């Protein structure tokens, strides 16, 4: 069997990550061009596995399906090559296997989304699962670039825990954003004329109420990101996490501007697509910041260090 060097494997994981990001962007394009039911059957399109005669909406939806094949190849390569990498690392193999499993789950969930006529719950789940798969891909690419023990553990809890908490809150903001889209005008089938149900648990004000809650949560995210950015600089955290948090703050600021523009202009699909793309980039930046923040030293080690410091002070 061939042997894969750590450097080559890191490149493979990066390619897998890029393909996963691209398919999120193309999936959003399918929805926002109203092409979600361009191919109303699954896994075949209009009764054929390989379809050549398609209108524009069917071509967009079918093209997204075809690109899933590229993503599958990239993620399967990341999984298989983890076992060929030398030296072998169990953590890379476990995370690597999760990627193709996630893509399979995405394909099945995407098929159910089509078969159930773009029901909001399936569409939201489809997008959120893609973000979870991205989280695994970022973890794999990050770990592949660093050998165990290469990065020292961090003793300063205030340089790590706030960044992790921000990631959790960012995930909740992402969920609220999918709910806002699920209640909004872009059901995903405007181009083909099908009527798609929308979220309406608050009646006629559902979309407006969710958008306002999403806006409040996003504001908290932005303010928290800036405060954490200042905290990291005050505590002299490592340069990588400070750089990542700078990117997070900039993306959230741009995202806020785009969100305001799309709301004031009654949600034009082109601007909404930019909003979705920026949301994905912000999620990636939060994952990067969390990885760069590092791992805390074990509690036992911290207690031992504290005891040594006390003992030295007595001497």
């Amino acid at each position: 069997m061939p042997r894969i060097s750590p450097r080559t494997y890191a490149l493979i994981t990066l390619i897998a990550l890029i393909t996963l990001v691209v398919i999120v962007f193309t999936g959003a394009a399918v929805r926002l061009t109203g092409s979600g039911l361009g191919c109303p059957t699954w896994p075949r399109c209009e009764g054929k596995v390989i379809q050549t005669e398609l209108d524009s909406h069917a071509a967009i939806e079918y093209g997204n399906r075809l690109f899933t094949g590229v993503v599958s190849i990239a993620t399967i390569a990341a999984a298989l090559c983890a076992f060929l990498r030398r030296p072998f690392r169990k953590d890379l193999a476990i995370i690597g296997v999760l990627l193709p499993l996630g893509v399979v789950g995405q394909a099945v969930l995407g098929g159910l989304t089509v078969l159930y006529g773009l029901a909001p719950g399936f569409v939201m789940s489809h997008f959120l699962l893609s973000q979870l798969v991205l989280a695994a891909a970022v973890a794999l690419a990050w770990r592949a670039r660093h050998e165990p023990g290469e990065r020292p553990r961090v003793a300063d809890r205030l340089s790590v825990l706030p960044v992790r908490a921000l990631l959790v809150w960012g995930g909740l903001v992402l969920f609220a954003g999918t709910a806002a889209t699920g209640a909004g005008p872009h059901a995903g089938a405007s181009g083909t004329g099908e009527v798609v149900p929308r979220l309406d648990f608050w009646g006629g004000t559902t979309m407006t109420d969710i958008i306002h809650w999403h806006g409040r949560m996003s504001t908290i995210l932005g303010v928290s990101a800036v405060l954490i950015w200042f905290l990291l600089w005050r505590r002299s955290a490592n340069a990588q996490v400070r750089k990542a948090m700078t990117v997070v703050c900039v993306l959230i600021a741009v995202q806020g501007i785009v969100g305001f523009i799309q709301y004031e202009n009654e949600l034009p699909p082109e601007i909404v697509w930019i909003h979705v793309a920026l949301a994905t980039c912000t999620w990636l930046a939060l994952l990067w910041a969390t990885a760069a923040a590092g791992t805390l030293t074990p509690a036992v080690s911290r207690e031992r260090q504290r005891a040594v410091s006390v003992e030295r002070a007595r001497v």
Side-chain angles (χ1 to χ4, degrees), residues 82 85 88-97 140 143-144 146 148:
R85 181 189 185 275
F88 172 77
R89 283 174 50 185
K90 184 178 179 181
D91 60 326
L92 298 181
I94 292 174
I95 301 175
V97 169
L140 182 64
R143 285 174 173 266
H146 301 95

Side-chain angles (χ1 to χ4, degrees), residues 43-245:
R44 296 171 179 266
C45 181
E46 301 289 355
K48 298 180 180 179
V49 176
I50 299 177
Q51 183 61 263
T52 56
E53 298 179 2
L54 299 169
D55 60 27
S56 59
H57 294 291
I60 292 171
E61 207 277 341
Y62 187 60
N64 187 63
R65 292 190 191 185
L66 291 180
F67 191 71
T68 302
V70 177
V71 178
S72 300
I73 293 172
T75 54
I76 290 172
L80 293 179
C81 291
F83 293 91
L84 300 176
R85 181 189 185 275
R86 293 295 180 269
F88 172 77
R89 283 174 50 185
K90 184 178 179 181
D91 60 326
L92 298 181
I94 292 174
I95 301 175
V97 169
L98 291 178
L99 296 191
L101 290 179
V103 172
V104 170
Q106 277 288 72
V108 173
L109 195 53
L112 291 173
T113 300
V114 171
L115 295 178
Y116 281 90
L118 306 183
F122 282 106
V123 176
M124 291 169 61
S125 300
H126 191 52
F127 180 78
L128 293 172
L129 178 58
S130 70
Q131 302 305 305
L132 290 177
V133 177
L134 281 180
V138 169
L140 182 64
W142 178 266
R143 285 174 173 266
R145 292 180 61 238
H146 301 95
E147 293 299 326
E150 182 178 298
R151 291 173 57 82
R153 290 179 176 266
V154 181
D156 185 10
R157 300 173 70 84
L158 288 178
S159 296
V160 177
L161 296 182
V163 180
R164 294 180 180 177
L166 192 69
L167 175 68
V168 175
W169 186 253
L172 293 175
V173 173
L174 202 63
F175 174 80
T178 62
T181 304
H186 300 296
S190 60
T192 49
E194 285 85 356
V195 177
V196 177
R198 316 305 294 133
L199 294 178
D200 60 352
F201 42 80
W202 286 330
T205 64
T206 300
M207 182 186 75
T208 303
D209 290 344
I210 295 178
I211 289 175
H212 288 164
W213 275 107
H214 177 53
R216 296 184 191 109
M217 294 172 69
S218 299
T219 300
I220 294 173
L221 179 68
V223 172
S224 301
V226 172
L227 292 176
I228 292 172
W229 183 86
F230 277 110
L231 177 66
L232 294 174
W233 278 91
R234 286 290 302 273
R235 302 189 74 84
S236 299
N238 71 76
Q240 185 81 294
V241 69
R242 286 184 289 170
K243 181 179 179 181
M245 280 306 304

Side-chain angles (χ1 to χ4, degrees), residues 3-57:
R3 295 187 176 187
I4 305 295
S5 69
R7 184 175 181 179
T8 301
Y9 184 68
L11 178 60
I12 292 171
T13 61
L14 178 61
I15 293 172
L17 173 59
I18 291 172
T19 61
L20 287 165
V21 173
V22 171
I23 200 167
V24 172
F25 293 168
T26 61
V30 170
R31 180 188 181 90
L32 293 168
T33 56
S35 307
L37 294 177
C39 289
T41 58
W42 187 89
R44 296 171 179 266
C45 181
E46 301 289 355
K48 298 180 180 179
V49 176
I50 299 177
Q51 183 61 263
T52 56
E53 298 179 2
L54 299 169
D55 60 27
S56 59
H57 294 291

